């Protein structure tokens, strides 16, 4: 499950470079037209640098949730053992 | 656990999992790039729901604690304990994602800004509550002490929400919610993804809360049987 999630995130990350950019006033522009403007090219480089932080943030969140679900399942097993011993 | 409860549980888990995958698709493929913050802005789609549910959790903890103080019914105390544990999880992830996001946007990992500091205080209140319940006086006395601590958390929650209005902070101003200024408009596509993310994480929160509550109920009953 975790491997699948990791691969999905990796594929999605590769896809991010072809996404439209939205401006504060709401209009959008494709990557093809951006490549002609040097200032916006710089913004793109900054965006690519931010990818690692996105990856880390999502990884931390998912590890947190999976760890908690694992903890709950362990607790459930422990309680079942206790109840069986009482019976 | 009964067959019916098991089916409900599995259905809830399935819906949450489907929503999560759809949410990932919307965040990474469908949502546009924000020009000022770039790709790192996508952290926003998990950061805001974690904050929202972390604070909601404190409200549930406070309300259930107050009800427990009046009724002395252990089911409210069990619900309070369950929501506190999930609240810690959500708030810890909120702080961690915030730390990761602040590096590319502010250039620093952490600053003693009003919003961040009040959030950290809330995290300490949650952890203090859980520590008190685990190692404090057993039974109703511990539950009462915990309820009083939870009331402190309720006071801190609005401080977090209004921190950007009341103090000068690094943290961005409120863009959505009742206190958001009308000038702080948010792009429609970004707002739609955020709303979907909020719904998805709320489903996850409800699923976790039901699971934890059921376990806490069983645990309490088992302890009662052993002590009898």
């Amino acid at each position: 499950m975790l491997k699948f999630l990791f691969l999905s995130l990796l594929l999605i990350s590769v896809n991010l470079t072809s996404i439209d950019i939205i401006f504060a006033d709401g209009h959008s522009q494709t990557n093809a037209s951006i490549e002609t403007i040097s200032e916006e090219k710089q913004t793109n480089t900054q965006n690519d640098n931010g990818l690692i932080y996105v990856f880390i943030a999502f990884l931390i969140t998912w590890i947190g949730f999976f760890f908690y679900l694992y903890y709950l399942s362990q607790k459930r097993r422990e309680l079942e053992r206790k109840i069986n011993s009482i019976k | 656990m009964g067959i019916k409860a098991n089916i409900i549980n599995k259905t809830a888990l399935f819906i949450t999992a489907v929503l999560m995958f759809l949410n990932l698709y919307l965040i990474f493929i469908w949502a546009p790039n924000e020009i000022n913050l770039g790709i790192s802005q996508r952290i926003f789609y998990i950061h805001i729901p974690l904050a929202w549910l972390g604070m909601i959790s404190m409200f549930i903890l406070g309300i259930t604690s107050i009800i427990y103080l009046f009724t002395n019914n252990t089911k409210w105390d069990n619900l309070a304990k369950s929501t506190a544990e999930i609240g810690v999880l959500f708030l810890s992830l909120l702080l961690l994602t915030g730390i990761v996001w602040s590096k590319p946007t502010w250039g620093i990992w952490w600053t003693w800004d009003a919003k961040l500091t009040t959030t950290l205080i809330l995290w300490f209140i949650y952890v203090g509550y859980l520590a008190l319940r685990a190692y404090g006086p057993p039974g109703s006395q511990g539950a009462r002490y915990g309820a009083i601590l939870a009331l402190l958390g309720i006071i801190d929650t609005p401080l977090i929400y209004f921190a950007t209005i009341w103090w000068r902070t690094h943290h961005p101003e409120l863009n959505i919610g009742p206190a958001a200024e009308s000038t702080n408009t948010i792009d429609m596509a970004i707002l739609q993804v955020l709303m979907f993310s909020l719904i998805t994480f709320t489903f996850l929160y409800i699923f976790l809360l039901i699971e934890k509550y059921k376990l806490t109920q069983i645990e309490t009953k088992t302890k009662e049987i052993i002590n009898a």
Side-chain angles (χ1 to χ4, degrees), chain A residues 1 4-5 8-9 11-13 15-17 19-28 31 34 40 43-44 46-58 60-65 67-69 71-73 75-80 82-83 86, chain B residues 1 9 13 17 20-21 24-25 27-43 45-46 50 82 85-86 89-90 93 96-97 100-101 103-104 109 185 187 189-190 201 204 207-208 211-212 214-216 218-219 222-223 225-226:
Chain A
M1 185 71 176
F4 177 70
L5 198 72
S8 311
L9 283 176
L11 283 171
I12 287 163
S13 313
N15 242 319
L16 282 175
T17 48
I19 283 173
D20 287 6
I21 285 188
I22 212 118
F23 287 81
D25 60 2
H27 79 273
S28 63
N31 276 358
I34 284 166
E40 282 169 13
T43 314
N44 253 2
Q46 282 170 0
N47 290 347
D48 292 343
N49 290 340
L51 195 61
I52 186 73
Y53 295 102
V54 178
F55 183 75
I56 292 168
F58 275 79
I60 288 170
T61 308
W62 283 104
I63 287 174
F65 284 131
F67 176 77
Y68 188 68
L69 282 170
Y71 159 77
L72 283 183
S73 71
K75 193 143 199 179
R76 177 184 288 271
R77 266 185 212 156
E78 191 192 310
L79 275 171
E80 275 169 5
K82 236 182 207 177
I83 290 164
I86 290 167
Chain B
M1 198 193 295
N9 235 15
L13 181 64
M20 270 298 168
F21 275 104
L24 281 177
Y25 170 80
I27 292 171
F28 288 105
I29 314 262
W30 194 78
N33 255 352
E34 207 276 331
I35 189 69
N36 295 315
L37 296 169
I39 288 173
S40 69
Q41 181 268 340
R42 279 159 214 274
I43 297 172
Y45 301 116
I46 49 168
L50 289 172
S82 310
E85 199 173 289
I86 297 162
L89 173 73
F90 275 72
L93 294 174
L96 288 170
T97 52
V100 172
W101 195 14
K103 184 65 181 165
W109 294 105
T185 50
D187 181 81
I190 291 173
F201 275 86
L204 177 67
F207 169 74
L208 290 176
E211 275 290 292
K212 178 63 195 159
K214 273 193 254 172
L215 280 180
T216 315
I218 296 167
E219 205 176 6
T222 316
K223 267 182 195 168
I225 293 166
I226 291 169

Side-chain angles (χ1 to χ4, degrees), chain B:
Chain B
M1 198 193 295
I3 297 167
K4 199 180 166 186
N6 214 3
I7 290 168
I8 292 168
N9 235 15
K10 280 183 179 162
T11 313
L13 181 64
F14 178 74
I15 292 168
T16 309
V18 170
L19 284 174
M20 270 298 168
F21 275 104
L22 272 174
N23 196 30
L24 281 177
Y25 170 80
L26 289 175
I27 292 171
F28 288 105
I29 314 262
W30 194 78
N33 255 352
E34 207 276 331
I35 189 69
N36 295 315
L37 296 169
I39 288 173
S40 69
Q41 181 268 340
R42 279 159 214 274
I43 297 172
F44 170 84
Y45 301 116
I46 49 168
H47 187 70
I48 304 289
L50 289 172
W52 168 250
L53 291 161
M55 288 199 278
I56 287 282
S57 207
M58 183 43 86
F59 266 110
I60 299 172
L61 173 60
I63 290 163
T64 47
S65 298
I66 290 167
I67 297 172
Y68 174 76
L69 283 176
F70 283 105
T71 60
N72 238 10
N73 189 335
T74 46
K75 81 173 178 187
W76 294 110
D77 184 46
N78 286 339
L79 188 57
K81 273 195 279 186
S82 310
T83 195
E85 199 173 289
I86 297 162
V88 166
L89 173 73
F90 275 72
L91 217 67
S92 305
L93 294 174
L94 165 74
L95 287 168
L96 288 170
T97 52
I99 285 167
V100 172
W101 195 14
S102 68
K103 184 65 181 165
T105 51
W106 301 342
I108 44 168
W109 294 105
W110 179 266
T111 177
W112 293 103
D113 164 295
K115 190 118 177 164
L116 275 67
T117 310
T118 46
T119 310
L120 187 65
I121 290 169
L122 186 67
W123 186 82
F124 277 120
I125 291 170
Y126 266 129
V127 173
Y129 177 89
L130 288 179
L132 182 71
R133 298 312 309 273
Y135 305 107
S140 61
Q141 198 182 4
R144 264 188 231 113
Y145 289 162
I148 291 157
L149 191 60
L151 295 177
L152 282 178
I154 285 197
I155 296 166
D156 187 46
T157 309
L159 291 181
I160 299 171
Y161 185 73
F162 291 107
T164 51
I165 298 169
W166 293 341
W167 295 287
R168 282 182 66 188
T169 62
H170 284 274
H171 200 276
E173 288 172 5
L174 296 168
N175 283 306
I176 50 166
E181 286 178 31
S182 57
T183 49
N184 295 340
T185 50
I186 192 165
D187 181 81
M188 204 31 131
I190 291 173
L191 188 66
Q192 283 167 348
V193 179
L194 176 65
M195 286 301 147
F196 190 86
S197 203
L198 271 173
I199 294 165
T200 306
F201 275 86
T202 307
F203 264 94
L204 177 67
Y205 177 84
I206 293 166
F207 169 74
L208 290 176
L209 185 61
I210 292 169
E211 275 290 292
K212 178 63 195 159
Y213 177 66
K214 273 193 254 172
L215 280 180
T216 315
Q217 287 273 67
I218 296 167
E219 205 176 6
T220 311
K221 277 178 190 162
T222 316
K223 267 182 195 168
E224 279 170 9
I225 293 166
I226 291 169
N227 292 336

